């Protein structure tokens, strides 16, 4: 039953990066950034200029600043006809790539043909000061500009600051980086590192009770009324009222997902069903969500009557008709006691309710150091060669982080560190690596997925730094492929061990999920609506976290049919049952006396437990304790990672993978679809047979006392009477001893035919005879 090890290519590797955590030398510049390698940068903050001399015939100048260090050159935006411009822009030059000893700063006048030099300044890198957070930022100073000969010009000063620092500097995230020199000024914003916060999501529960005094246009027929609710792109409807009247009743719940700030109102319409695709609107009600009551527990909110307005078309224009007041009776609230699921419950990163008043205190801190990636695959073509512009995204709870994009590198080094508060240890952090498809002026492309990693916090030891290189695996229609490796440093620090252990006794989800549970169908539908809202909101940020990135991180397509996943889940079930199967085989060997000494010892243990039944439970728990203690020596020392064998990715048939990546609805030719449909039918036929066999065994149990077979029921009832008398007069221990010795009897006293009870059970009738 041993699973063969993964190939080296797809395995997790332990690394030893040069980070501050665990270091005894104490020579690191910043203890707050101890999970990443320190990267030295030369920072230049260009603040503003004043009294710049005119260069044009018009008597004005269009100034901009050019910062040059060796072959690297950064440029600010230019201002038209402004002698006192203000830029406040930071340039960062990686110390590893510095090939010059002098920093040059030029102030130039933008011109049509050739830009004119207004003035310049030069700095010797040996004289540049070092700054280490938490020191305050270096104060910028005014510098007089010089001409080409080095003489001070009559007018013109530039305010700037120059210092050496690390990626821990506050200026780092918003700086222009020398390793992204090929990116134009417009693309700099698309490669910066950012922190995003998911919108706060609420469930809106609308209990539609009844309506009164509806006025259908056709008075000759009884109306068939239902209520349709619309919120943004979500549309739900009640069932048609069972009573065909102008005062219909429903008492039915409609549940929507909404994000703060509330931008769109809830619109309810009472509609009369006239035909298959024809409905008449009898009244409309618009409810702003800002006015809706917020509920934190299971207590019902007060009901309210809302007027239904009817709109009529007069001369081609829609006008409100207020001749008669129809109204609708509702109980509406924002349910803050639920956790709005926007990711799969199997690897959720947050389980807190929406309402902040119900949150428990945090139990610890999660720190993640995104170090680097190695061996990334080329994801797109540029200048007839493959290239990758990689960045990382990590999601835990409501906080998303995005590292800066490293341009044109298959071995990018980010060395960025982030922190999250932890409220539940049984949660998962997801880290994804993507290729930026929007930095070279392309707006229509997508950010390609390179791979992702999931780390469950409960599998980590507290206060230990895990430094590993995780394989990035991608399943494509051609098979599983390794697209590179990402090197991470992770540390989970627990503030209170007692509080964390106490969390294991709490329910996984908030109380409302158990007091007023939502159905599986509702949860699935609401989860997809929540995913859509989160992806839309984050894609409107600046720089945007693209829709395809958010969907990949949230596993939006995890519910789609996949033959590979179905096989993987089947073998997971078999792996779980393998322990029971192994125990069954072992017991069969005991019964057949394969090892006489073991069987005799089991006989002795069995007799002791029968004579002293109070020892049974202590023996079981002591055995489990000793097994757990024994297994401690072989406990996992590394966090789990994507497993190709468990996912059945390395043995999947190409056609199965092609089916997995097919669109919905299908876009494949009819003959392929027919073949797949037939294959699915054959699998479903086997499942159908197994389900039928299980039903047959259950019906045989039912038929024991149903007199469906009168002779069999007579025999069973008679046996029950005799068994009741025997058990009453015979001590239970004697009976258990006799049954145990009979089961464990020597093979010499056995025969290969099935036992009498089994023969009797198999002869009982089932309802399969009545199946068509």
């Amino acid at each position: 039953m041993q699973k063969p090890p993964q190939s080296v290519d797809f395995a997790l590797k332990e690394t030893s990066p040069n980070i501050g955590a665990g270091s005894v030398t104490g020579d690191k510049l910043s203890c707050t950034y101890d999970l990443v390698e320190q990267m030295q940068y030369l920072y230049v903050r260009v603040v503003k200029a004043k009294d710049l001399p005119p260069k044009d015939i018009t008597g004005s100048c269009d100034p901009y600043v050019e910062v040059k260090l060796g072959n690297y050159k950064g440029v600010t935006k230019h201002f038209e006809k402004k002698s006192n411009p203000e830029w406040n822009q930071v340039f960062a030059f990686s110390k590893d790539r510095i090939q010059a000893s002098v920093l040059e700063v030029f102030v130039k006048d933008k011109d049509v043909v050739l830009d004119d030099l207004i003035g310049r300044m030069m700095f010797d890198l040996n004289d540049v000061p070092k700054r280490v957070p938490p020191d305050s930022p270096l104060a910028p100073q005014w510098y007089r500009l010089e001409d080409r000969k080095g003489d001070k010009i009559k007018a013109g000063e530039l305010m700037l600051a120059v210092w050496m620092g690390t990626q821990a500097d506050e200026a780092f995230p918003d700086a222009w980086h020398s390793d992204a020199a090929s990116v134009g000024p417009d693309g700099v914003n698309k490669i910066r590192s950012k922190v995003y916060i998911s919108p706060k999501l609420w469930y809106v529960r609308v209990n539609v009770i009844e309506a009164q005094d509806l006025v259908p246009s056709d008075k000759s027929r009884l109306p068939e009324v239902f209520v349709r609710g619309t919120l943004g792109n979500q549309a739900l409807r009640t069932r048609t009222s069972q009573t065909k009247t102008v005062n219909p009743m429903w008492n039915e719940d409609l549940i929507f997902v909404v994000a703060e700030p509330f931008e769109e109102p809830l619109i309810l319409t009472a509609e009369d069903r006239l035909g298959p695709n024809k409905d008449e609107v009898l009244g409309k009600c618009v409810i702003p969500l800002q006015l809706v009551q917020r509920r934190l527990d299971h207590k019902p909110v007060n009901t309210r009557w809302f007027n239904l307005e009817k709109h009529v078309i007069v001369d081609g224009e829609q006008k409100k008709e207020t001749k008669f007041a129809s109204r609708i009776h509702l109980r509406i609230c924002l349910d803050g006691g639920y956790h709005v699921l926007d990711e799969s419950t199997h690897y959720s990163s947050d389980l807190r309710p929406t309402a902040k008043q119900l949150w428990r205190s945090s139990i610890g801190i999660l720190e993640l150091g995104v170090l680097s990636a190695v061996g990334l695959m080329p994801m797109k073509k540029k200048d007839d060669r493959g290239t990758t512009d990689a960045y990382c995204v990590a999601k835990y709870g409501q906080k998303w982080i995005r590292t800066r994009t490293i341009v044109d590198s298959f071995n990018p080094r980010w060395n960025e560190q982030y922190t999250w508060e932890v409220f539940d240890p049984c949660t998962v952090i997801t880290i994804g690596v993507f290729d930026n498809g929007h930095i070279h002026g392309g707006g229509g492309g997508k950010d390609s997925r390179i791979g992702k990693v999931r780390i469950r916090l409960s599998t980590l030891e507290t206060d230990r730094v895990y430094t590993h290189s995780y394989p990035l695996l991608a399943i494509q229609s051609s098979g599983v492929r390794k697209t590179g490796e990402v090197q991470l440093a992770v540390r989970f620090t627990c503030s209170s061990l007692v509080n964390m252990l106490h969390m294991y006794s709490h329910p996984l989800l908030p109380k409302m999920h158990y007091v007023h549970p939502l159905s599986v169908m509702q949860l699935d539908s609401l989860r997809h609506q929540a995913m859509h809202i989160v992806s839309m909101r984050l894609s409107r940020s600046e720089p945007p976290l693209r829709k395809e990135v958010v969907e990949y991180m949230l596993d939006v397509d995890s519910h789609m049919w996949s033959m590979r996943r179905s096989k993987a889940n089947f073998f997971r079930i078999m792996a779980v049952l393998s322990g029971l199967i192994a125990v069954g085989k072992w017991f069969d060997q005991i019964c057949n006396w394969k090892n006489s000494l073991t069987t005799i010892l089991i006989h002795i243990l069995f007799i002791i437990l029968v004579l002293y039944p109070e020892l049974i439970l202590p023996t079981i728990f002591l055995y489990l304790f000793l097994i757990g203690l024994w297994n401690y020596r072989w406990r996992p020392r590394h966090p789990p990672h994507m497993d190709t064998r468990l996912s059945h990715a390395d043995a999947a048939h190409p056609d199965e993978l092609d089916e997995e990546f097919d669109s919905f609805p299908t876009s494949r030719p009819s003959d392929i679809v027919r073949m797949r449909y037939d294959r699915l039918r054959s699998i479903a036929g086997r499942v159908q047979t197994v389900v039928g066999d299980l039903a047959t065994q259950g019906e045989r149990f039912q038929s024991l006392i149903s007199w469906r077979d009168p002779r069999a029921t007579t025999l069973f009832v008679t046996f029950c009477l005799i068994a009741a008398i025997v058990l009453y007069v015979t001590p239970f221990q004697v009976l258990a001893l006799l049954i145990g010795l009979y089961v464990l009897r020597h093979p010499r006293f056995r025969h290969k035919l099935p036992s009498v009870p089994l023969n009797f059970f198999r002869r009982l009738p089932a309802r399969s005879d009545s199946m068509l």
Side-chain angles (χ1 to χ4, degrees):
M1 301 303 295
Q2 285 293 318
K3 188 174 72 172
Q6 287 204 105
S7 65
V8 179
D9 241 12
F10 298 149
L12 185 77
K13 300 169 188 170
E14 192 158 9
T15 58
S16 302
N18 184 27
I19 61 177
S23 171
V24 294
T25 56
D27 61 347
K28 293 296 162 190
L29 293 177
S30 176
C31 61
T32 55
Y33 272 62
D34 63 344
L35 291 186
V36 292
E37 297 176 346
Q38 296 293 338
M39 299 173 72
Q40 299 290 328
Y41 286 90
L42 172 67
Y43 289 100
V44 182
R45 181 187 291 278
V46 179
V47 184
K48 56 186 175 180
K50 67 178 181 180
D51 303 331
L52 295 179
K55 285 289 180 179
D56 294 344
I57 303 171
T58 57
S60 63
C61 65
D62 306 327
Y64 70 92
V65 176
E66 181 182 292
V67 181
K68 189 176 180 185
L69 184 64
N71 296 328
Y72 295 105
K73 183 172 68 174
V75 180
T76 67
K77 61 182 179 181
H78 81 278
F79 291 100
E80 292 189 4
K81 299 180 180 179
K82 200 168 187 180
S83 58
N84 297 301
E86 190 168 327
W87 294 281
N88 199 23
Q89 191 169 342
V90 181
F91 299 87
F93 298 89
S94 175
K95 190 178 179 182
D96 296 341
R97 300 188 182 185
I98 291 178
Q99 300 170 344
S101 59
V102 176
L103 171 71
E104 299 174 278
V105 181
F106 302 95
V107 181
K108 294 186 176 182
D109 175 42
K110 187 81 173 174
D111 215 336
V112 180
V113 183
L114 184 66
D115 297 346
D116 298 323
L117 177 69
I118 297 174
R120 69 170 186 174
M121 290 156 45
M122 301 180 75
F123 295 88
D124 191 334
L125 295 191
N126 295 321
D127 299 332
V128 172
K130 283 190 177 182
R131 183 201 165 229
V132 183
D135 288 355
S136 297
L138 198 68
Q141 299 179 34
W142 286 105
Y143 293 89
R144 285 281 300 274
L145 297 175
E146 302 172 351
D147 58 16
R148 291 188 188 277
K149 297 176 183 177
D151 300 326
K152 303 288 184 186
I153 62 175
K154 292 181 181 179
E157 291 182 89
L158 180 66
M159 178 186 275
L160 52 79
V162 182
W163 73 95
M164 292 295 296
T166 67
Q167 73 268 39
D169 205 291
E170 295 90 344
F172 178 81
D174 294 325
W176 172 94
H177 289 270
S178 58
D179 53 9
S182 61
V183 179
D186 297 333
V188 170
N189 197 38
K190 296 173 183 174
I191 65 172
R192 287 176 175 159
S193 57
K194 285 289 175 184
V195 173
Y196 304 85
I197 301 297
S198 287
K200 189 175 183 180
L201 299 174
W202 293 79
Y203 284 147
V204 182
R205 185 186 291 270
V206 184
N207 179 223
V208 184
I209 302 170
E210 59 181 329
Q212 279 186 0
D213 304 329
L214 298 177
V215 186
S217 57
D218 186 359
K219 304 286 194 301
S220 62
R221 58 178 286 278
L222 293 171
E224 299 176 23
V225 186
F226 64 90
V227 174
R228 190 191 305 277
T230 308
L231 183 59
N233 65 340
Q234 304 169 70
L236 299 173
R237 52 161 288 179
T238 65
R239 66 185 186 279
T240 304
S241 175
Q242 294 177 349
T243 55
K244 297 182 179 180
T245 171
V246 293
N247 300 312
M249 296 187 69
W250 297 277
N251 198 20
E252 193 172 333
D253 279 354
L254 304 178
I255 302 179
F256 302 88
V257 182
V258 68
E260 287 187 359
F262 306 134
E263 296 175 344
E264 293 169 324
L266 172 68
I267 300 171
L268 296 174
T269 54
E271 301 182 25
D272 181 12
R273 189 169 182 79
L274 302 177
N277 294 311
K278 193 176 179 184
D279 302 319
E280 180 198 358
V281 177
L282 303 179
K284 179 179 174 182
C285 171
V286 178
I287 304 170
L289 293 178
Q290 291 86 346
L291 308 177
V292 173
Q293 184 179 344
R294 302 186 179 198
R295 183 173 76 161
L296 304 183
D297 52 23
H298 60 279
K299 295 175 185 174
V301 298
N302 295 327
T303 62
R304 283 183 62 190
W305 287 95
F306 292 88
N307 288 330
L308 289 171
E309 299 166 351
K310 192 168 183 182
H311 293 263
V312 293
I313 296 174
V314 180
D315 299 330
E317 292 185 9
Q318 198 177 63
K319 292 187 177 180
K320 193 188 297 181
E321 185 183 42
T322 54
K323 289 180 183 176
F324 198 84
S326 303
R327 55 185 194 156
I328 188 167
H329 195 192
L330 303 173
R331 180 182 280 113
I332 179 170
C333 65
L334 289 162
D335 261 333
Y338 289 93
H339 168 67
V340 180
L341 293 163
D342 61 347
E343 51 196 342
S344 173
T345 49
H346 298 301
Y347 25 80
S348 185
S349 64
D350 188 15
L351 301 165
R352 292 170 295 169
T354 299
K356 203 167 184 177
Q357 301 94 309
L358 303 177
W359 290 5
R360 296 190 181 93
S361 57
S362 66
I363 59 164
I365 296 291
L366 172 66
E367 295 166 279
L368 172 70
V370 184
L371 300 174
S372 60
V374 293
L376 296 183
M377 302 287 286
M379 301 304 292
K380 56 178 178 282
K381 286 268 187 182
K382 182 189 173 189
D383 301 331
D384 296 328
R385 65 182 181 87
T387 181
T388 298
D389 306 318
Y391 67 92
C392 267
V393 173
K395 184 215 184 288
Y396 184 77
Q398 294 181 334
K399 180 178 171 182
W400 299 65
I401 65 95
R402 169 184 175 148
T403 67
R404 71 189 190 284
T405 301
I406 305 296
V407 179
D408 195 12
S409 174
F410 299 132
N411 301 295
R413 293 175 65 223
W414 294 287
N415 283 305
E416 296 182 27
Q417 184 170 334
Y418 298 93
T419 306
W420 288 266
E421 272 191 304
V422 177
F423 293 86
D424 195 316
C426 302
T427 45
V428 176
I429 181 172
T430 306
I431 303 105
V433 184
F434 300 88
D435 172 62
N436 196 327
H438 296 80
I439 60 175
H440 296 294
K446 288 189 173 184
D447 288 1
S448 307
R449 54 181 76 165
I450 298 176
K452 69 180 168 187
V453 175
R454 293 192 201 100
I455 302 172
R456 185 170 289 275
L457 269 60
S458 59
T459 63
L460 304 177
E461 297 175 18
T462 52
D463 299 318
R464 177 187 164 190
V465 178
Y466 289 83
T467 53
H468 290 88
S469 182
Y470 294 82
L472 296 171
L473 305 175
I475 293 185
Q476 299 169 345
S477 53
S478 56
V480 65
R481 187 173 70 152
K482 182 178 176 182
T483 53
E485 295 178 11
V486 62
Q487 295 184 1
L488 305 173
V490 183
R491 177 171 57 206
F492 173 37
T493 309
C494 173
S495 55
S496 170
L497 182 63
V498 175
N499 285 349
M500 185 171 71
L501 295 178
H502 184 55
M503 283 299 299
Y504 282 86
S505 66
H506 286 252
L508 201 61
L509 291 167
K511 188 170 84 171
M512 282 293 286
H513 285 268
Y514 306 99
V515 177
H516 286 300
L518 302 171
S519 69
V520 176
M521 293 289 288
Q522 275 181 317
L523 283 173
D524 194 49
S525 171
L526 292 169
R527 175 177 165 242
H528 282 87
Q529 290 296 342
M531 282 179 175
H532 179 74
I533 291 171
V534 170
S535 63
M536 286 295 104
R537 285 287 178 93
L538 293 179
S539 65
R540 286 160 51 187
S541 306
E542 190 59 41
L545 201 58
R546 304 281 170 187
K547 185 171 182 281
E548 60 272 15
V549 172
V550 177
E551 288 181 348
Y552 180 59
M553 295 289 287
L554 295 178
D555 273 313
V556 75
D557 56 352
S558 60
H559 67 292
M560 298 297 288
W561 160 257
S562 163
M563 181 71 79
R564 175 188 62 80
R565 280 202 200 106
S566 301
K567 284 183 180 177
N569 288 332
F570 171 76
F571 284 109
R572 283 173 63 199
I573 292 172
M574 293 307 296
V576 169
L577 297 177
S578 63
L580 295 174
I581 295 167
V583 170
K585 288 180 178 178
W586 172 79
F587 187 70
D588 187 59
Q589 290 177 353
I590 296 295
C591 294
N592 288 298
W593 292 67
K594 296 287 184 186
N595 187 327
S596 301
L597 180 61
T598 307
T599 306
I600 291 168
L601 289 173
I602 292 296
H603 273 80
I604 294 168
L605 178 64
F606 172 71
I607 292 167
I608 292 170
L609 292 176
V610 169
L611 295 177
Y612 303 98
E614 65 273 9
L615 295 178
I616 293 174
L617 286 176
T619 303
I620 292 171
F621 285 114
L622 181 63
Y623 177 73
L624 292 173
F625 168 76
L626 293 173
I627 289 290
L629 216 58
W630 180 260
N631 288 342
Y632 181 76
R633 297 165 61 193
W634 295 283
R635 69 191 184 279
R637 299 296 295 166
H638 308 299
H641 64 289
M642 299 296 183
D643 192 327
T644 53
R645 291 194 183 278
L646 181 70
S647 309
H648 227 67
D650 52 352
H653 192 275
D655 182 66
E656 294 173 3
L657 293 173
D658 183 65
E659 181 183 23
E660 185 173 339
F661 287 94
D662 189 9
S663 59
F664 189 86
T666 182
S667 57
R668 298 294 184 264
S670 57
D671 53 337
I672 293 178
V673 176
R674 189 181 296 112
M675 180 270 291
R676 289 174 181 168
Y677 175 63
D678 290 339
R679 181 176 64 196
L680 203 57
R681 285 176 67 192
S682 68
I683 294 168
R686 283 179 244 164
V687 174
Q688 174 183 286
T689 305
V690 172
V691 172
D693 289 343
L694 290 173
T696 297
Q697 308 309 323
E699 287 168 354
R700 282 175 176 162
F701 269 111
Q702 289 180 337
S703 64
L704 281 170
I705 52 173
S706 68
W707 296 93
R708 190 174 181 81
D709 182 342
R711 284 166 294 280
T713 304
T714 303
L715 285 170
F716 179 70
V717 169
T718 308
F719 168 77
C720 288
L721 178 63
I722 296 168
I725 296 168
V726 171
L727 288 172
Y728 183 74
V729 299
T730 309
F732 179 75
Q733 289 172 311
V734 174
L735 201 67
L737 195 64
L738 291 173
I739 292 171
L741 292 174
Y742 174 77
V743 171
L744 295 169
R745 68 192 184 280
H746 197 275
R748 186 178 297 172
F749 304 107
R750 296 174 184 274
H751 49 86
K752 295 191 175 181
L753 295 175
S755 63
V756 173
L758 194 59
N759 290 334
F760 178 76
F761 182 74
R762 285 176 177 169
R763 288 176 175 275
L764 291 171
R767 301 189 68 185
S768 52
D769 313 338
S770 306
M771 288 281 290
L772 286 173

